[in-house]
Amino acid sequence: MEKVQLDQFDMALSVENHFNDNTAPWTANVPISAAKTILSQKIAAIGAQLAIQLINTTGIAANKEILRKSFEDQLFVVSSAVSGYASVVGNKDLYDRTYNARSTYTLMKDVILTGTCVDLIVDANAEMANLAPYGVLPANITALTTTMNAFSGIKSDPEKAIARRKAATEKIAELMPDLMSFLNTRMDNLMVALEATQETFVDIYRNVRLISSSPTT
């Protein structure tokens, strides 16, 4: 949210709080009571988008990076075992399918890494009876499959979070002018009807309606 938008939203929250803290002067006034309900709805809609804007995409990306490294490590262990077995028994096709340097996994795109894992699991299961001396047991394949599935579920999360934040920013740019227009053209005018009998309430309303410029950070 931009600085101007933050100032406007803070002002709107102050107006809402003034109404919430002083219900007696306005609840009997049907037009003002209806306007207050609408005001709170508009503020809540912007607040929901602001919450999306505050999603920590850096943290999501860091979680993905940690999981990916674990995925790569497990892949390398299993592929080394299978390709080592293939080398011993002279199965060149199996060796060519399963051998990769550790750095190769790091350079693979997410979708290729997952596809490589699927193929490796097929080859490892086919040779499982022979792989125990090379350090691979069914439990290793189960763990690798679990990690692959977890990575498949999280691999696009950072991109999704960034897209959601972008959409929230665009939505706020749409909602904020509508909120300001509502205050300017409806709520401000409705306050005139209360001025004769609720002067203090109206005076405070007009004070909190002044947009305070927040510090630039």
Side-chain angles (χ1 to χ4, degrees):
M1 186 179 284
E2 297 177 357
K3 179 180 178 299
V4 172
Q5 293 172 331
L6 283 171
D7 291 337
Q8 292 173 340
F9 189 59
D10 184 60
M11 175 274 296
L13 288 173
S14 297
V15 170
E16 183 182 38
N17 289 336
H18 177 51
F19 275 90
N20 290 339
D21 293 341
N22 303 276
T23 57
W26 59 270
T27 49
N29 186 302
V30 175
I32 293 178
S33 181
K36 164 58 174 63
T37 298
I38 296 172
L39 173 66
S40 293
Q41 291 171 345
K42 291 181 181 294
I43 290 173
I46 294 175
Q49 298 303 316
L50 179 58
I52 295 173
Q53 272 195 332
L54 295 177
I55 292 174
N56 183 3
T57 55
T58 301
I60 294 174
N63 291 338
K64 175 189 172 183
E65 183 177 352
I66 292 170
L67 184 57
R68 168 152 181 152
K69 185 179 184 305
S70 175
F71 187 22
E72 292 172 8
D73 289 343
Q74 291 179 57
L75 262 174
F76 180 63
V77 168
V78 175
S79 66
S80 295
V82 177
S83 61
Y85 162 75
S87 177
V88 169
V89 300
N91 189 333
K92 185 176 183 304
D93 288 340
L94 180 62
Y95 180 86
D96 290 342
R97 288 199 308 272
T98 58
Y99 172 76
N100 278 305
R102 175 63 181 82
S103 58
T104 301
Y105 293 124
T106 301
L107 297 174
M108 285 181 179
K109 293 182 178 180
D110 292 345
V111 65
I112 296 177
L113 188 70
T114 302
T116 299
C117 182
V118 170
D119 292 339
L120 177 62
I121 289 173
V122 171
D123 284 327
N125 282 329
E127 301 292 343
M128 184 56 64
N130 304 311
L131 294 180
Y134 299 86
V136 171
L137 300 171
N140 299 103
I141 303 304
T142 299
L144 177 60
T145 302
T146 299
T147 302
M148 177 184 69
N149 291 337
F151 180 73
S152 296
I154 199 177
K155 64 184 180 182
S156 63
D157 283 0
E159 292 81 6
K160 289 179 180 177
I162 291 171
R164 289 184 66 201
R165 287 184 63 179
K166 181 176 182 294
T169 299
E170 293 172 351
K171 189 64 177 179
I172 288 172
E174 173 187 327
L175 293 175
M176 192 62 71
D178 177 66
L179 172 62
M180 293 302 297
S181 176
F182 179 81
L183 287 167
N184 292 331
T185 63
R186 184 163 174 179
M187 192 64 83
D188 288 355
N189 289 325
L190 289 174
M191 286 298 102
V192 177
L194 287 182
E195 193 165 13
T197 58
Q198 303 294 340
E199 182 179 359
T200 300
F201 178 83
V202 175
D203 285 344
I204 295 174
Y205 168 84
R206 286 173 177 162
N207 283 332
V208 297
R209 274 284 283 121
L210 297 176
I211 299 174
S212 298
S213 181
S214 62
T216 300
T217 60

